């Protein structure tokens, strides 16, 4: 079986090969199928679409270069609308009806956490969840963490970095606006823990129900937080809700730094705020901070970024999941870059299985991946007691119309 080239070699190959010139492998011929449940419609549908596009862009490339003796990878998507019930049914179908090799690329905390008991129930079938798009703790802690392998940093990692940096510039009265579900509560708990490490508490909090659209009015929640005298706000939400909160906060005269987490999809949130700025003549993009769990897709000095941009720049996207036609895919995004890196890791796992791909070997193979070079400056590292490959967090803020790395926190010193 041909070994998939490292990142640097892949970049060289791209000079003479393109995805569009390589015929597709026949379906079912030495092929491993992975089930992916995600939102492809609704208020958070673009999250699922972008993640799926990044994941499949790399896997199409992988399949084109895996060689005749290798195993191709196919991801079977199913729409759950970011709702736990449909996600549960999709997962049962994947396991019982479709007999997938593993679950991969699930998107969202309330959905992914809802199906964790199924992993335990079907442990005799060796069902594992690989690289979900969530930083929630239940996927990292017992009793379910043994069945899940994560690439990304956790929400506790993200909130700790945000809180510590805000405290460094004198902002100790931190408020939290969060989605009232497993995702929001995990982020809220991350902020609480980070503050408690410094002997502090959350200054004020407000919540909203999952599924809020950009048209939602959050003026009441804004006033509640401001009345408590907060000097910074951490939002644990999705792109539409966070954009609406930022809009209403700025309309209320709030100039405080507002920080959010990677799951928000900062690119889409910024699009919404730019559109609102054009309509109103007010700048809604100032003093925003977003933690990311991958480097910026504009850091072309990183070979992994160059590979991503080369492949995504030529990627047509193939057949979109049901509902995906509602959205216009963006060329590059933080979300699709994360999906792309997870595709690289999935390909490496399958490559290491060689001619013996079996579900029960997933833990053995994943835990053998040490110092795996993704081309992003930090290596992924797994082990028997480590099912999270990366810990890196990258704070960003809006400069020149895009989210870029924070060069100095002094601008927010109180």
């Amino acid at each position: 079986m041909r070994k998939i080239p490292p990142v640097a070699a892949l970049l060289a190959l791209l000079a003479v090969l393109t995805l569009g010139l390589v015929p597709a492998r026949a379906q079912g011929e030495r092929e491993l199928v992975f089930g992916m449940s995600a939102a492809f419609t609704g208020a958070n549908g673009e999250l699922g679409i972008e993640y799926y596009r990044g994941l499949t862009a790399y896997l199409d490339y992988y399949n084109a270069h895996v060689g005749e003796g290798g195993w191709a990878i196919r991801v079977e998507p199913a729409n759950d609308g970011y709702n736990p019930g449909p996600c549960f049914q999709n997962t049962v179908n994947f396991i019982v009806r479709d007999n997938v090799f593993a679950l991969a690329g699930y998107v969202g905390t309330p959905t992914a956490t809802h199906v964790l008991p199924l992993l335990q129930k079907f442990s005799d079938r060796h069902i594992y969840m690989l690289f979900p798009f969530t930083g929630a703790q239940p996927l990292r802690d017992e009793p379910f963490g043994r069945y899940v392998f994560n690439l990304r940093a956790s929400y506790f990692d993200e909130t700790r970095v945000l809180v510590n940096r805000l405290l460094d510039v004198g902002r100790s009265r931190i408020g939290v606006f969060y989605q009232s579900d497993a995702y929001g509560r995990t982020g809220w708990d991350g902020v609480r823990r980070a503050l408690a490490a410094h002997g502090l508490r959350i200054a004020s909090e407000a919540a909203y129900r999952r599924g809020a659209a950009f048209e939602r009015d959050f003026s009441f929640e804004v006033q509640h937080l401001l009345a408590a005298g907060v000097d910074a706000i951490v939002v644990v939400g999705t792109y539409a809700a966070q954009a609406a909160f930022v809009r209403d906060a700025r309309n209320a005269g709030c100039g405080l730094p507002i920080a959010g987490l990677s799951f928000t999809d900062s690119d889409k949130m910024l699009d919404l705020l730019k559109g609102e700025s054009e309509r109103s003549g007010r700048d809604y993009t100032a003093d925003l901070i977003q933690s990311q769990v991958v480097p910026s897709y504009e850091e072309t000095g990183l070979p992994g970024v160059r590979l991503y941009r080369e492949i995504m720049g030529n990627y047509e996207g193939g057949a979109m999941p049901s509902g995906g036609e509602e959205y216009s895919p963006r060329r590059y995004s933080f979300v699709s870059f994360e999906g792309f890196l997870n595709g690289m890791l999935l390909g490496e796992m399958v490559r290491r299985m060689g001619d013996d791909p079996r579900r029960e070997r997933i833990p053995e193979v994943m835990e053998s991946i040490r110092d795996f070079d993704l081309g992003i400056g930090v290596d992924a590292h797994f082990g028997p007691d480590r099912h999270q490959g990366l810990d890196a967090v990258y704070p960003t803020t809006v400069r020149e119309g895009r989210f870029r790395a924070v060069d100095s926190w002094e601008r927010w010193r109180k």
Side-chain angles (χ1 to χ4, degrees):
M1 180 179 62
R2 183 185 306 169
K3 182 177 180 179
I4 300 302
V7 171
L10 284 173
L11 284 168
L13 283 172
L14 280 165
V16 294
L17 295 173
T18 62
L19 286 169
L21 297 177
V22 181
R25 178 182 297 266
Q27 182 169 317
E29 181 186 346
R30 291 183 66 85
E31 179 182 70
L32 299 177
V33 180
F34 295 80
M36 173 186 182
S37 185
F40 298 120
T41 57
N44 302 296
E46 190 160 325
L47 275 172
I49 292 295
E50 286 298 305
Y51 190 80
Y52 175 80
R53 289 187 72 248
L55 178 65
T56 56
Y58 180 78
L59 292 179
D60 282 359
Y61 186 83
Y62 175 94
N63 291 339
H65 295 89
V66 74
E68 290 301 320
W71 287 82
I73 298 171
R74 176 164 60 90
V75 172
E76 185 66 33
N79 182 28
D80 59 36
Y82 195 49
N83 291 306
C87 181
F88 190 91
Q89 186 59 59
N90 290 342
T91 305
V92 171
N93 290 341
F94 284 144
I95 297 171
V96 177
R97 182 191 68 192
D98 303 331
N99 196 32
V100 298
F101 190 74
L103 310 176
Y106 274 45
V107 174
T109 299
T111 47
T113 56
H114 191 64
V115 303
L116 290 177
L118 289 175
L119 305 181
Q120 193 173 58
K121 176 178 176 57
F122 290 102
S123 60
D124 60 326
R125 297 194 186 195
H126 306 284
I127 299 298
Y128 294 91
M129 179 179 287
L130 306 175
F131 326 134
F133 184 56
T134 169
Q137 282 313 115
L139 291 90
R140 290 159 169 80
D141 295 338
E142 290 299 327
F144 303 117
R146 69 184 67 183
Y147 305 110
V148 183
F149 289 88
N150 307 276
L151 177 60
R152 67 177 359 250
S154 72
Y155 293 143
F156 283 5
D157 294 326
E158 292 189 64
T159 50
R160 181 171 57 252
V161 168
L162 290 175
V163 168
N164 287 347
R165 297 292 81 77
L166 289 169
L167 293 178
D168 286 345
V169 292
R171 296 187 178 270
S172 59
R173 291 193 55 78
I174 297 176
V176 184
F177 178 64
Y178 65 98
Q179 186 166 280
S180 184
D181 64 4
Y183 163 49
R185 287 190 293 272
T186 298
W188 172 90
D189 192 30
V191 174
R192 181 191 67 81
R193 289 168 180 256
L195 286 169
H198 297 272
L200 300 170
R201 301 176 63 180
I202 294 173
S204 184
E205 61 187 73
Y208 73 93
R209 295 183 65 179
R210 183 174 65 246
F214 183 57
E215 293 72 26
R216 172 76 179 272
D217 184 351
F218 288 121
S219 300
F220 176 83
E221 290 81 357
V222 167
Q223 291 300 330
H224 172 76
L225 291 168
L226 295 181
V230 299
D231 52 27
I233 300 170
V234 174
V235 178
V236 188
T238 53
Y239 59 80
Q242 183 166 335
F245 179 85
V246 170
R247 176 201 63 213
D248 294 341
R250 300 316 187 209
N251 286 343
C254 169
L256 298 174
I258 299 177
L261 306 186
S262 59
F263 187 79
T264 300
D265 186 355
S266 54
D267 295 296
K268 178 61 176 178
M269 180 188 71
L270 188 57
D271 284 347
L272 292 173
L273 292 175
K274 285 179 178 177
E276 190 69 13
S277 294
E278 291 177 2
R279 287 188 291 270
S280 69
R282 180 194 296 267
D283 181 13
Y284 293 99
T285 68
D287 295 311
L288 301 181
I289 305 167
Q290 288 292 127
S291 60
Q292 313 288 355
V293 294
V294 297
S296 169
Y297 48 83
E298 294 191 349
E299 291 190 32
T300 54
L302 297 171
V305 171
R306 294 198 301 274
L307 178 64
Y308 162 76
R309 292 177 70 93
E310 288 284 351
I311 291 179
M312 291 302 295
N314 296 310
Y315 188 59
E316 297 299 327
M320 299 295 280
S322 175
E325 62 276 1
E326 297 179 17
Y327 303 95
S328 299
R330 59 187 68 243
R331 190 174 188 187
Y332 309 119
S333 70
F334 284 100
V335 175
S336 68
F337 187 29
E338 183 174 343
F340 184 88
L341 294 176
N342 280 293
M344 292 179 66
L345 187 56
L346 187 60
E348 178 66 9
M349 183 196 78
V350 172
R351 185 192 70 79
R352 292 189 181 211
M353 286 190 166
D355 291 329
D356 187 24
R358 288 178 287 118
R359 294 191 192 99
E360 55 265 38
R361 293 191 62 212
I362 289 177
E364 162 208 336
V365 172
M366 283 301 306
E367 291 168 4
S368 75
I369 297 177
R370 312 290 175 90
D371 303 321
F372 178 58
D373 182 16
L374 292 161
I376 58 173
V378 291
D379 295 341
H381 180 88
F382 293 88
D385 298 317
R386 181 179 169 85
H387 282 200
Q388 177 179 301
L390 297 173
D391 303 311
V393 176
Y394 306 84
T396 61
T397 191
V398 179
R399 293 201 314 274
E400 299 174 354
R402 294 186 181 182
F403 274 99
R404 303 173 187 269
V406 174
D407 51 7
S408 173
W409 287 76
E410 286 302 311
R411 62 188 290 186
W412 294 299
R413 180 166 294 281
K414 187 176 176 183

